[in-house]
mmCIF file of all heavy atoms in Angstrom:
data_model
loop_
_atom_site.group_PDB
_atom_site.id
_atom_site.type_symbol
_atom_site.label_atom_id
_atom_site.label_comp_id
_atom_site.label_asym_id
_atom_site.label_seq_id
_atom_site.Cartn_x
_atom_site.Cartn_y
_atom_site.Cartn_z
ATOM 1 N N VAL G 4 184.366 155.509 164.334
ATOM 2 C CA VAL G 4 183.982 154.587 163.269
ATOM 3 C C VAL G 4 182.467 154.637 163.149
ATOM 4 O O VAL G 4 181.755 154.335 164.108
ATOM 5 C CB VAL G 4 184.455 153.146 163.581
ATOM 6 C CG1 VAL G 4 184.032 152.203 162.482
ATOM 7 C CG2 VAL G 4 185.957 153.107 163.784
ATOM 8 N N ASN G 5 181.977 155.029 161.981
ATOM 9 C CA ASN G 5 180.539 155.134 161.729
ATOM 10 C C ASN G 5 180.135 154.164 160.639
ATOM 11 O O ASN G 5 180.676 154.193 159.530
ATOM 12 C CB ASN G 5 180.172 156.557 161.313
ATOM 13 C CG ASN G 5 180.510 157.574 162.372
ATOM 14 O OD1 ASN G 5 180.250 157.347 163.547
ATOM 15 N ND2 ASN G 5 181.121 158.669 161.971
ATOM 16 N N PHE G 6 179.152 153.321 160.949
ATOM 17 C CA PHE G 6 178.620 152.370 159.977
ATOM 18 C C PHE G 6 177.932 153.126 158.848
ATOM 19 O O PHE G 6 177.137 154.030 159.095
ATOM 20 C CB PHE G 6 177.631 151.427 160.661
ATOM 21 C CG PHE G 6 176.967 150.460 159.730
ATOM 22 C CD1 PHE G 6 177.599 149.288 159.364
ATOM 23 C CD2 PHE G 6 175.719 150.727 159.210
ATOM 24 C CE1 PHE G 6 176.991 148.397 158.502
ATOM 25 C CE2 PHE G 6 175.101 149.851 158.349
ATOM 26 C CZ PHE G 6 175.741 148.676 157.989
ATOM 27 N N VAL G 7 178.214 152.757 157.592
ATOM 28 C CA VAL G 7 177.577 153.376 156.429
ATOM 29 C C VAL G 7 176.545 152.428 155.830
ATOM 30 O O VAL G 7 175.373 152.754 155.719
ATOM 31 C CB VAL G 7 178.617 153.788 155.363
ATOM 32 C CG1 VAL G 7 177.934 154.345 154.132
ATOM 33 C CG2 VAL G 7 179.595 154.788 155.946
ATOM 34 N N ASN G 8 176.983 151.243 155.418
ATOM 35 C CA ASN G 8 176.065 150.247 154.862
ATOM 36 C C ASN G 8 176.717 148.875 154.860
ATOM 37 O O ASN G 8 177.891 148.729 155.161
ATOM 38 C CB ASN G 8 175.574 150.632 153.459
ATOM 39 C CG ASN G 8 176.691 150.710 152.448
ATOM 40 O OD1 ASN G 8 177.723 150.051 152.568
ATOM 41 N ND2 ASN G 8 176.517 151.524 151.433
ATOM 42 N N ALA G 9 175.926 147.871 154.509
ATOM 43 C CA ALA G 9 176.431 146.501 154.410
ATOM 44 C C ALA G 9 175.804 145.839 153.192
ATOM 45 O O ALA G 9 174.707 146.211 152.753
ATOM 46 C CB ALA G 9 176.112 145.710 155.666
ATOM 47 N N THR G 10 176.514 144.858 152.661
ATOM 48 C CA THR G 10 176.053 144.104 151.505
ATOM 49 C C THR G 10 176.161 142.618 151.817
ATOM 50 O O THR G 10 177.172 142.162 152.333
ATOM 51 C CB THR G 10 176.915 144.437 150.269
ATOM 52 O OG1 THR G 10 176.846 145.834 150.018
ATOM 53 C CG2 THR G 10 176.434 143.689 149.038
ATOM 54 N N ASN G 34 172.253 147.469 151.139
ATOM 55 C CA ASN G 34 171.517 148.204 152.175
ATOM 56 C C ASN G 34 171.038 147.304 153.317
ATOM 57 O O ASN G 34 169.922 147.440 153.807
ATOM 58 C CB ASN G 34 170.344 148.981 151.572
ATOM 59 C CG ASN G 34 170.814 149.997 150.566
ATOM 60 O OD1 ASN G 34 171.850 150.625 150.754
ATOM 61 N ND2 ASN G 34 170.086 150.144 149.481
ATOM 62 N N ILE G 35 171.903 146.388 153.727
ATOM 63 C CA ILE G 35 171.610 145.522 154.862
ATOM 64 C C ILE G 35 171.797 146.336 156.148
ATOM 65 O O ILE G 35 172.798 147.023 156.320
ATOM 66 C CB ILE G 35 172.546 144.292 154.872
ATOM 67 C CG1 ILE G 35 172.430 143.498 153.560
ATOM 68 C CG2 ILE G 35 172.285 143.409 156.077
ATOM 69 C CD1 ILE G 35 171.082 142.912 153.308
ATOM 70 N N ASN G 36 170.869 146.243 157.040
ATOM 71 C CA ASN G 36 170.921 146.980 158.307
ATOM 72 C C ASN G 36 171.972 146.346 159.220
ATOM 73 O O ASN G 36 172.125 145.130 159.248
ATOM 74 C CB ASN G 36 169.540 146.923 158.962
ATOM 75 C CG ASN G 36 169.383 147.907 160.070
ATOM 76 O OD1 ASN G 36 170.338 148.237 160.749
ATOM 77 N ND2 ASN G 36 168.159 148.367 160.259
ATOM 78 N N ASN G 37 172.667 147.157 159.992
ATOM 79 C CA ASN G 37 173.729 146.627 160.852
ATOM 80 C C ASN G 37 173.202 146.010 162.143
ATOM 81 O O ASN G 37 173.979 145.480 162.926
ATOM 82 C CB ASN G 37 174.764 147.707 161.166
ATOM 83 C CG ASN G 37 174.227 148.822 162.025
ATOM 84 O OD1 ASN G 37 173.031 149.060 162.062
ATOM 85 N ND2 ASN G 37 175.111 149.520 162.695
ATOM 86 N N GLN G 65 179.730 142.197 153.592
ATOM 87 C CA GLN G 65 180.742 143.248 153.437
ATOM 88 C C GLN G 65 180.170 144.528 154.032
ATOM 89 O O GLN G 65 179.083 144.973 153.657
ATOM 90 C CB GLN G 65 181.069 143.446 151.971
ATOM 91 C CG GLN G 65 182.107 144.495 151.729
ATOM 92 C CD GLN G 65 182.416 144.678 150.250
ATOM 93 O OE1 GLN G 65 181.716 144.151 149.404
ATOM 94 N NE2 GLN G 65 183.433 145.429 149.963
ATOM 95 N N GLU G 66 180.915 145.115 154.966
ATOM 96 C CA GLU G 66 180.484 146.347 155.619
ATOM 97 C C GLU G 66 181.363 147.511 155.183
ATOM 98 O O GLU G 66 182.556 147.332 154.933
ATOM 99 C CB GLU G 66 180.561 146.219 157.141
ATOM 100 C CG GLU G 66 179.579 145.251 157.729
ATOM 101 C CD GLU G 66 179.601 145.249 159.236
ATOM 102 O OE1 GLU G 66 180.460 145.927 159.844
ATOM 103 O OE2 GLU G 66 178.764 144.544 159.819
ATOM 104 N N THR G 67 180.751 148.694 155.124
ATOM 105 C CA THR G 67 181.479 149.928 154.831
ATOM 106 C C THR G 67 181.334 150.862 156.039
ATOM 107 O O THR G 67 180.228 151.039 156.563
ATOM 108 C CB THR G 67 180.916 150.610 153.570
ATOM 109 O OG1 THR G 67 180.981 149.698 152.488
ATOM 110 C CG2 THR G 67 181.693 151.860 153.231
ATOM 111 N N HIS G 68 182.470 151.443 156.450
ATOM 112 C CA HIS G 68 182.481 152.349 157.589
ATOM 113 C C HIS G 68 183.203 153.633 157.192
ATOM 114 O O HIS G 68 184.104 153.609 156.366
ATOM 115 C CB HIS G 68 183.218 151.728 158.770
ATOM 116 C CG HIS G 68 182.598 150.476 159.286
ATOM 117 N ND1 HIS G 68 181.599 150.472 160.216
ATOM 118 C CD2 HIS G 68 182.826 149.182 158.992
ATOM 119 C CE1 HIS G 68 181.243 149.236 160.492
ATOM 120 N NE2 HIS G 68 181.973 148.423 159.750
ATOM 121 N N ASP G 69 182.795 154.742 157.792
ATOM 122 C CA ASP G 69 183.501 156.009 157.679
ATOM 123 C C ASP G 69 184.356 156.172 158.912
ATOM 124 O O ASP G 69 183.924 155.891 160.034
ATOM 125 C CB ASP G 69 182.532 157.187 157.592
ATOM 126 C CG ASP G 69 181.972 157.394 156.213
ATOM 127 O OD1 ASP G 69 182.602 156.937 155.247
ATOM 128 O OD2 ASP G 69 180.902 158.015 156.112
ATOM 129 N N LEU G 70 185.573 156.647 158.702
ATOM 130 C CA LEU G 70 186.466 156.945 159.817
ATOM 131 C C LEU G 70 186.640 158.454 159.908
ATOM 132 O O LEU G 70 186.842 159.125 158.900
ATOM 133 C CB LEU G 70 187.834 156.293 159.607
ATOM 134 C CG LEU G 70 187.848 154.774 159.449
ATOM 135 C CD1 LEU G 70 189.251 154.297 159.150
ATOM 136 C CD2 LEU G 70 187.302 154.114 160.687
#
Side-chain angles (χ1 to χ4, degrees):
V4 179
N5 300 316
F6 177 83
V7 176
N8 63 27
T10 302
N34 299 322
I35 303 297
N36 194 329
N37 67 337
Q65 181 180 10
E66 292 185 354
T67 303
H68 298 274
D69 279 338
L70 301 176

